[in-house]
Amino acid sequence: MPSSSHNRGPDSTPVAEAAPSSAPHSRSGQERPPARELDWSVYMARAQGGDREAYRRLLQDVTPYLRSIAARHFRNSGDIEDAVQEVLLTVHAVRHTYDPARPFGPWLVAIANRRVVDGLRRQGRSRAREVALETEHETFAAPQANLAETASDGRVLRDAIEQLPPGQRDAVRMLKLREMSLKEAAAASGMSVAALKVATHRGLKNLRKIFGRQGGKT
Amino acid sequence: MITTPDLIESLVAGAKPVRRLRPPAARAALWLLFAAAIVSLLAVSHGLRPDLGARLGQPLFATGLAASLLTGVLAAVAAFIVSLPDRSRLWLLLPAPALALWVSTISYECLTEWVSIRPDGVALGEAADCFATLVLTSVPLWLAMLLMLRHVALLRSAAAAVAASLAVAAIASTALALFHDLDASVMILMWNLGTAALLVGLGSAFWERMLFWVASR
């Protein structure tokens, strides 16, 4: 058997050739060249015996093929890679169930299909309950819906505070903008705590009125 | 997220030599040997039913007993075959003919003897004893099945659960027929079909959870 030329071939085969073109054929494992599947079978038999180099070649070799199976069911490249990794993990966990006397392709494809179906179910469940937040969901036509604070908002607020009577203006600035405590503000302004509270309360009420008027205008 | 080449490297680094599974028929034989041991132990401790010899002479009883035993054997073989990823799921049909024969003998007995409940009904003591036999046979068999099929957690666990539970139910039912004098048709129906259905149902419901538990040990 011209094994050297056949064996070398599959190892350097690009993704496109590794990928079978239709599901029914790949299911029976008949589409790939027999030498390739024989390679995989031999690699797996050696991997079961603890040969790490054979195991690495096998896993690297089947990855493009698994990716082509997953790509038939998932669009997102992240989902495809997730499915491939799930299959590799399962192959690792159940590698003792492979019987080298039997073809490797159907064994691998059965495991891959199982994991792909699991992935599709997971996807279906999350789609039924979750909505992806896209960038277009963040902006709506009404200006009030845009929550992001802009520089102009700050300016509008400062202008409004300027319009307040002096006592209320100072109280709001100290307690709300500079976030001083009532004691600190009392010490700084010489006003009593009770007077500060009243002034802040009235100041906020006036600000609400000012913005209410502006909102009505726009 | 780990990249696929990194994953491969980590899997390769953790690749120890593994022992291949024996052929499914050999594993089924091992499990059946265990089942035979359990049933023999029960026979020693409990004793066979007194009228077993006479009952075995009756073709209907003998056929039913043989059919339930055959169902157990074939279902066990089917469970070990479908637990492998590359075997056809049609193997699940392997115990079907024996199952059909078993069910038909029970039903026939029901038709012919449906009035044969004793005037005083079935004593509670007998029923409790039956239940003990059922638990003593089915629980160890089920645990053995779980242990031997733990790899199936990642594969086709539902198909294997049905076959495995059917195997356990059929063997337990065979044991019941050997040990207990329950010829009243309602009880036969209840114990045979009822427990088989119950075991298959319970088995399928808890199978996956138990498998992951066993597999993670």
Side-chain angles (χ1 to χ4, degrees):
Chain A
M1 181 187 154
S3 61
S4 61
S5 62
H6 269 98
N7 283 348
R8 210 153 297 283
D11 294 337
S12 54
T13 313
V15 179
E17 196 185 322
S21 58
S22 64
H25 283 281
S26 69
R27 199 177 272 272
S28 61
Q30 288 169 348
E31 188 162 330
R32 286 179 305 282
R36 179 181 186 77
E37 200 174 309
L38 200 63
D39 278 351
W40 289 352
S41 183
V42 170
Y43 286 155
M44 185 46 124
R46 278 161 53 187
Q48 286 174 330
D51 181 343
R52 293 192 176 169
E53 197 41 50
Y55 194 42
R56 177 180 292 115
R57 298 208 31 197
L58 172 75
L59 294 184
Q60 286 171 351
D61 219 24
V62 299
T63 299
Y65 176 56
L66 294 177
R67 209 169 273 139
S68 76
I69 294 179
R72 276 187 232 132
H73 304 279
F74 299 103
R75 299 240 176 98
N76 182 334
S77 64
D79 289 341
I80 294 175
E81 222 49 31
D82 271 356
V84 169
Q85 294 190 1
E86 292 266 344
V87 178
L88 290 175
L89 283 167
T90 309
V91 164
H92 182 73
V94 303
R95 63 193 191 281
H96 63 293
T97 66
Y98 175 63
D99 175 3
R102 297 176 67 87
F104 184 80
W107 184 83
L108 181 69
V109 171
I111 292 173
N113 284 338
R114 182 79 218 187
R115 285 291 85 86
V116 165
V117 168
D118 280 356
L120 288 173
R121 276 191 198 139
R122 220 174 17 245
Q123 211 177 48
R125 272 201 297 274
S126 66
R127 269 197 198 148
R129 292 183 193 155
E130 295 167 15
V131 175
L133 192 64
E134 307 284 347
T135 40
E136 57 261 33
H137 292 145
E138 289 173 10
T139 304
F140 294 89
Q144 291 90 335
N146 294 312
L147 298 174
E149 190 177 345
T150 59
S152 60
D153 287 339
R155 204 176 58 238
V156 171
L157 181 65
R158 276 189 201 94
D159 290 349
I161 292 174
E162 282 299 323
Q163 294 173 27
L164 296 174
Q168 293 176 16
R169 189 175 61 208
D170 292 345
V172 169
R173 269 188 190 153
M174 282 188 291
L175 291 169
K176 298 297 169 188
L177 294 188
R178 285 153 69 186
E179 295 183 339
M180 292 163 84
S181 71
L182 276 168
K183 264 186 193 167
E184 287 168 347
S189 65
M191 290 164 77
S192 74
V193 169
L196 273 172
K197 278 184 182 170
V198 172
T200 314
H201 180 72
R202 288 186 182 152
L204 290 181
K205 213 170 169 185
N206 283 332
L207 280 177
R208 225 169 267 140
K209 248 185 237 165
I210 293 170
F211 284 122
R213 272 207 305 277
Q214 286 180 356
K217 271 185 225 161
T218 51
Chain B
M1 197 182 103
I2 187 168
T3 63
T4 304
D6 287 347
L7 176 73
I8 291 177
E9 282 312 313
S10 72
L11 292 181
V12 168
K16 296 193 188 77
V18 288
R19 209 164 53 100
R20 269 172 222 142
L21 288 182
R22 284 189 207 89
R27 307 185 70 222
L30 200 66
W31 183 82
L32 288 165
L33 214 62
F34 178 66
I38 298 252
V39 174
S40 320
L41 279 177
L42 272 175
V44 169
S45 72
H46 187 280
L48 296 172
R49 58 193 278 183
D51 61 342
L52 185 65
R55 292 288 277 151
L56 280 178
Q58 297 169 3
L60 197 62
F61 178 83
T63 312
L65 192 67
S68 69
L69 186 62
L70 192 64
T71 305
V73 172
L74 293 180
V77 173
F80 285 103
I81 291 180
V82 294
S83 74
L84 295 172
D86 55 344
R87 308 299 169 96
S88 165
R89 211 170 292 194
L90 290 178
W91 280 104
L92 276 181
L93 295 177
L94 185 67
L99 180 65
L101 184 64
W102 178 30
V103 171
S104 67
T105 56
I106 297 168
S107 326
Y108 183 72
E109 208 159 351
C110 286
L111 276 180
T112 52
E113 298 184 32
W114 68 278
V115 283
S116 74
I117 298 180
R118 277 165 283 178
D120 53 345
V122 178
L124 180 68
E126 184 69 11
D129 205 17
C130 265
F131 188 71
T133 308
L134 189 76
V135 171
L136 281 175
T137 41
S138 59
V139 168
L141 291 182
W142 204 61
L143 288 178
M145 224 15 147
L146 273 173
L147 264 177
M148 292 180 82
L149 291 179
R150 58 189 180 278
H151 65 268
V152 92
L154 294 164
L155 304 165
R156 293 175 179 152
S157 74
V162 172
S165 306
L166 181 62
V168 172
I171 297 287
S173 172
T174 309
L176 275 186
L178 286 176
F179 302 141
H180 291 286
D181 176 17
L182 278 178
D183 290 338
S185 55
V186 180
M187 285 300 278
I188 289 176
L189 189 70
M190 209 168 83
W191 281 122
N192 284 283
L193 284 187
T195 53
L198 190 74
L199 279 177
V200 171
L202 280 179
S204 308
F206 290 103
W207 179 257
E208 201 143 326
R209 223 170 297 167
M210 291 291 288
L211 264 183
F212 275 105
W213 186 76
V214 170
S216 65
R217 293 289 109 177

